[in-house]
Amino acid sequence: LNDITVMSNGDVYCTESVHNAIYKIDATTDTLIHFVTLEGFNFPNGITHCGESDEIFVAVDEGIIKLNLITKEYILLETPEGVNASTIDGLECYKNSFIGHQSSKITRFYYNDNIESIVRAEEFDSGKEFDSSTTGAIGNGVYHYIVNSQIRSGVDRENHRLKPLDSLESIIIRRKRLK
């Protein structure tokens, strides 16, 4: 499993990136079940919900999917030319927008009223200190996020091991008040 979102009733939805699936942990039975496979899309990653609706939103390589929890139908949100909503890692919903982590930057994607298309995007944060996609969380109107998780730079790929701790950079966690 990759990422989770928790609904107000306690149900948990999880992305599973290798087999393009969404899993559910039912709050009443505490059981993990396969919920849906996202046919035609690749690498579901970040996942979130917006308010009390029966929908969740899933970041896939192709963009952001809107998934109806009742019918299990899903659509890819339309994006205007020049807006890149692909390969998002962490995904949060806040006041008519998604906050998405994209390797060396974080982008805020504003959506239309029925959440079927992204209407514009703006850079939320970026810099040379960003080393790979990561995630964040909202609390009390503030977005807290990891800048340099070292998910790529902290691994010795040749030996399939984490690098020694004394060779890693100090972790940077930022916070930014949301408007």
Side-chain angles (χ1 to χ4, degrees), residues 8-69:
S8 62
N9 69 354
D11 288 346
V12 177
Y13 291 88
C14 315
T15 55
E16 192 283 312
S17 302
V18 175
H19 298 101
N20 303 327
I22 305 298
Y23 282 80
K24 176 183 178 182
I25 302 171
D26 186 281
T28 57
T29 64
D30 199 29
T31 304
L32 177 71
I33 60 167
H34 176 269
F35 186 72
V36 68
T37 298
L38 300 173
E39 299 291 338
F41 297 100
N42 297 296
F43 206 80
N45 199 334
I47 186 169
T48 193
H49 67 283
C50 300
E52 296 297 318
S53 75
D54 290 326
E55 301 163 334
I56 58 174
F57 299 87
V58 181
V60 292
D61 280 352
E62 297 79 8
I64 300 172
I65 288 177
K66 176 180 177 178
L67 169 61
N68 184 299
L69 298 176

Side-chain angles (χ1 to χ4, degrees), residues 103-169:
S103 274
S104 61
K105 67 179 178 175
I106 300 172
T107 305
R108 191 160 176 190
F109 300 94
Y110 293 87
Y111 50 75
N112 66 351
D113 290 340
N114 60 0
I115 318 179
E116 290 186 354
S117 65
I118 294 169
V119 294
R120 67 183 176 91
E122 65 184 33
E123 191 172 278
F124 186 82
D125 196 4
S126 67
K128 62 180 176 17
E129 64 278 12
F130 280 74
D131 79 335
S132 60
S133 292
T134 184
T135 195
I138 298 171
N140 297 323
V142 176
Y143 189 59
H144 303 262
Y145 52 101
I146 302 168
V147 171
N148 62 338
S149 67
Q150 301 176 64
I151 197 165
R152 290 189 188 116
S153 63
V155 177
D156 177 349
R157 303 252 182 242
E158 187 176 310
N159 296 310
H160 306 286
R161 294 185 156 174
L162 293 176
K163 291 181 179 176
L165 290 178
D166 61 358
S167 71
L168 301 178
E169 299 291 323

